[in-house]
Amino acid sequence: MKRVTSVALLLILCAAFVFATPYEEILQKAMANSPDMQNNEIVYQNSLLTQQQNDLDDVPQVTIKTGKVQIPLSDTTMTDRGESKSSVSLTPSVEVKLNDEKTTIAASSDISFTPGEEDSYSVSPYLSASHTFDLTGYDADLSADLSSARASLQSEQTYQKAKLNFETLVLSSIKAILQAEQSLAETQYSLTKAEYKLQNALTLGSIDESSMTYLQMSNQIDLYKNTIDATEKQIATAQEQYTTLTGLVWDGVEELPDPDLTLKMLDSGNTDVILASIDVEIARQSVEAKKAQSNPSSLTLTGGAGTTITSPAKAVSANAGISYSNSGWTLGAEVSGIFSNTTDKIYPALTLSGTWSNKTTKRSDELELQKLNNELISAQNSLTAARTSYVQSAQNLQIDILNYNYTLSNQAATKQYLQSNLDYLETMYDAGLCTVEELMDARMEVQWSDTDDVINTIDGLLLQIEIEELNL
């Protein structure tokens, strides 16, 4: 009878979840149910679309113009020099700007036709091209690429951090419930033992209801009951928070993965360090851009060829030019020539040009450049701070990993001792050499050590997330 009573009591006290949900399933469903994670996913997808937009190759710009189309409404047309035969004319043109926006190719034509007894016509097609070389050494495309790369990295970091932070919340919520449930089980066990002792004492007559011992034992029982009520409310609150966070009803957890606490320092640092490095390059490019703007230097080559064909004659023309610009002045030269079939001669010409203007923003540009240099120094300091922070955080995590491994070793040794002690007491109990209470205490300690293992695993997973976030 004694053995049956103890077994029944142990079955009540050792009750646990028969069914539980695997952790990976909890995490996946929680992320799918979370509005915050859904919004983070949308923001992340939009950032990817923006990146695709930024990576699109520039398309050459093509401009087609009909020009002026003149259609006479009478037989003659009045000009500034008097009356003349009416004519039909049009001036179509095409202009193409290449992707670099420094090369332009243009084609145009003046076409006219005058009907009459002696029909006359005039066609003047012309093709030209120009290209400008930036001699400052500043590459605007590099600055744009750096900004695009920074935005992409920061977007990826923000999204991955959101996922890790959400998993941290889920693990912390599970841990809070497990700790509260273990506290409840311990208090319920203590209450059962206290009630059992009080009932035995009353049955044996060692105390009565008027004694101080009875009053003390009753007060202790009331304290256990109040603690149980408070803990049950705590569990209910923790489970509600779990449901709010995950969209799931708490039914336990199983199949927690083993934590991977391998910490490897990255040579290039984490994303924060890389972003700080990009900020330094962006600041340096801003300085170069301001220098190029304040002291522009460029070389432009132009060239063109055309012909004019009329009913009585035709002529061919061509030109080539070069101009150099630096700060406030520009020098240019152009060689052109016309060949006429009426004279069979070439008429060359050389045109020189030059301009100069004073720079009214010189002092302002100097001050702006000084500000940009200060921002560059600040960015370099931030890069140093980011590298230092990364190393210090890694060192702190290494200490946390050592402490965690030490805790695991102690827990393993403690659990081995508790299991050995339980095996010993079960043998002693079968021989009638130990009490039911001693055997129950040993069994409960083994059961609670199992819960401690689960909580330690959660602590390891939380530490793993810190490692992943550090190297993110």
Side-chain angles (χ1 to χ4, degrees):
M1 183 66 181
K2 177 180 178 182
R3 188 184 303 273
V4 172
T5 302
S6 64
V7 171
L9 184 58
L10 283 171
L11 288 175
I12 295 173
L13 293 175
C14 297
F17 291 108
V18 179
F19 301 103
T21 305
Y23 173 68
E24 289 298 331
E25 182 179 339
I26 291 176
L27 184 60
Q28 290 176 4
K29 290 183 177 180
M31 285 190 172
N33 294 334
S34 171
D36 289 338
M37 287 307 301
Q38 292 174 9
N39 287 337
N40 287 328
E41 181 70 26
I42 292 173
V43 171
Y44 177 65
Q45 292 299 327
N46 282 342
S47 69
L48 294 180
L49 294 175
T50 300
Q51 184 63 35
Q52 292 179 20
Q53 287 179 311
N54 294 336
D55 292 341
L56 291 176
D57 293 332
D58 293 331
V59 178
Q61 182 183 21
V62 180
T63 303
I64 301 176
K65 299 180 180 179
T66 62
K68 295 181 179 180
V69 180
Q70 179 177 305
I71 301 175
L73 301 178
S74 62
D75 292 339
T76 58
T77 250
M78 183 63 68
T79 67
D80 294 339
R81 293 174 293 180
E83 197 174 275
S84 65
K85 289 285 187 180
S86 61
S87 61
V88 177
S89 64
L90 64 155
T91 56
S93 65
V94 177
E95 182 182 80
V96 179
K97 290 185 177 180
L98 300 187
N99 301 350
D100 58 5
E101 296 186 355
K102 297 178 181 179
T103 303
T104 301
I105 301 173
S108 62
S109 180
D110 290 339
I111 304 172
S112 64
F113 174 71
T114 304
E117 295 178 357
E118 296 180 359
D119 294 341
S120 63
Y121 62 89
S122 175
V123 180
S124 301
Y126 185 77
L127 179 66
S128 65
S130 66
H131 182 80
T132 300
F133 298 91
D134 188 353
L135 304 181
T136 62
Y138 171 68
D139 186 359
D141 291 338
L142 176 59
S143 181
D145 291 342
L146 286 171
S147 298
S148 178
R150 191 192 193 287
S152 179
L153 274 176
Q154 192 168 39
S155 174
E156 185 69 29
Q157 180 194 42
T158 300
Y159 177 63
Q160 296 300 332
K161 275 189 175 182
K163 292 172 64 177
L164 292 176
N165 290 338
F166 185 78
E167 185 174 2
T168 297
L169 292 175
V170 172
L171 285 169
S172 299
S173 179
I174 294 174
K175 179 181 176 181
I177 295 175
L178 292 176
Q179 287 177 325
E181 287 177 343
Q182 180 167 347
S183 177
L184 176 63
E186 292 174 357
T187 307
Q188 287 175 335
Y189 177 68
S190 297
L191 173 62
T192 301
K193 286 173 55 178
E195 290 177 336
Y196 177 76
K197 288 181 180 179
L198 178 60
Q199 186 62 41
N200 275 350
L202 289 173
T203 301
L204 296 174
S206 59
I207 63 170
D208 57 43
E209 296 183 358
S210 62
S211 65
M212 288 298 298
T213 302
Y214 175 82
L215 181 60
Q216 290 176 347
M217 295 178 71
S218 297
N219 288 340
Q220 184 63 52
I221 289 173
D222 291 338
L223 178 60
Y224 285 142
K225 288 180 179 179
N226 291 335
T227 302
I228 288 173
D229 290 339
T231 306
E232 287 176 341
K233 292 178 181 178
Q234 180 183 355
I235 292 175
T237 301
Q239 290 178 348
E240 289 177 1
Q241 293 174 343
Y242 171 84
T243 300
T244 301
L245 177 65
T246 65
L248 304 172
V249 177
W250 171 253
D251 61 354
V253 62
E254 62 182 7
E255 298 180 17
L256 284 165
D258 294 329
D260 180 5
L261 302 184
T262 304
L263 175 58
K264 182 179 179 181
M265 295 283 291
L266 302 176
D267 295 336
S268 59
N270 57 8
T271 302
D272 287 335
V273 176
I274 296 175
L275 289 174
S277 300
I278 295 177
D279 287 339
V280 171
E281 293 304 317
I282 290 176
R284 183 175 288 112
Q285 287 300 310
S286 296
V287 172
E288 296 302 320
K290 189 60 184 178
K291 288 180 179 178
Q293 179 187 358
S294 303
N295 299 286
S297 179
S298 63
L299 183 69
T300 301
L301 299 179
T302 60
T307 182
T308 300
I309 302 173
T310 61
S311 48
K314 65 178 181 179
V316 177
S317 62
N319 67 284
I322 183 172
S323 64
Y324 175 73
S325 297
N326 192 330
S327 194
W329 53 271
T330 300
L331 294 176
E334 182 182 65
V335 177
S336 61
I338 300 175
F339 172 77
S340 175
N341 70 334
T342 57
T343 60
D344 289 334
K345 289 183 178 180
I346 298 177
Y347 302 93
L350 173 64
T351 304
L352 301 176
S353 63
T355 60
W356 176 87
S357 63
N358 65 316
K359 191 170 182 60
T360 59
T361 61
K362 181 178 180 180
R363 181 54 182 165
S364 176
D365 290 342
E366 290 174 350
L367 295 175
E368 181 65 22
L369 185 59
Q370 186 175 350
K371 288 169 56 180
L372 292 174
N373 277 312
N374 289 338
E375 291 177 3
L376 174 58
I377 295 173
S378 178
Q380 291 170 336
N381 292 336
S382 296
L383 173 58
T384 302
R387 287 172 174 164
T388 302
S389 176
Y390 174 68
V391 173
Q392 290 177 343
S393 297
Q395 292 171 345
N396 292 335
L397 274 178
Q398 287 173 340
I399 295 175
D400 292 340
I401 293 171
L402 291 174
N403 291 335
Y404 176 78
N405 289 331
Y406 177 75
T407 300
L408 285 186
S409 298
N410 281 347
Q411 174 65 16
T414 300
K415 187 169 184 178
Q416 183 178 4
Y417 164 77
L418 292 175
Q419 186 61 51
S420 298
N421 183 57
L422 175 59
D423 294 340
Y424 170 75
L425 289 176
E426 285 178 342
T427 302
M428 296 294 289
Y429 180 78
D430 290 338
L433 299 177
C434 78
T435 65
V436 175
E437 183 178 347
E438 290 174 330
L439 179 60
M440 290 170 58
D441 286 346
R443 288 185 177 179
M444 294 307 296
E445 286 176 346
V446 170
Q447 177 182 319
W448 292 332
S449 70
D450 291 338
T451 304
D452 289 336
D453 287 342
V454 176
I455 293 175
N456 284 336
T457 299
I458 292 177
D459 288 337
L461 292 173
L462 290 172
L463 190 55
Q464 175 183 320
I465 290 175
E466 291 185 42
I467 296 173
E468 292 175 357
E469 189 170 0
L470 173 66
N471 282 335
L472 192 60

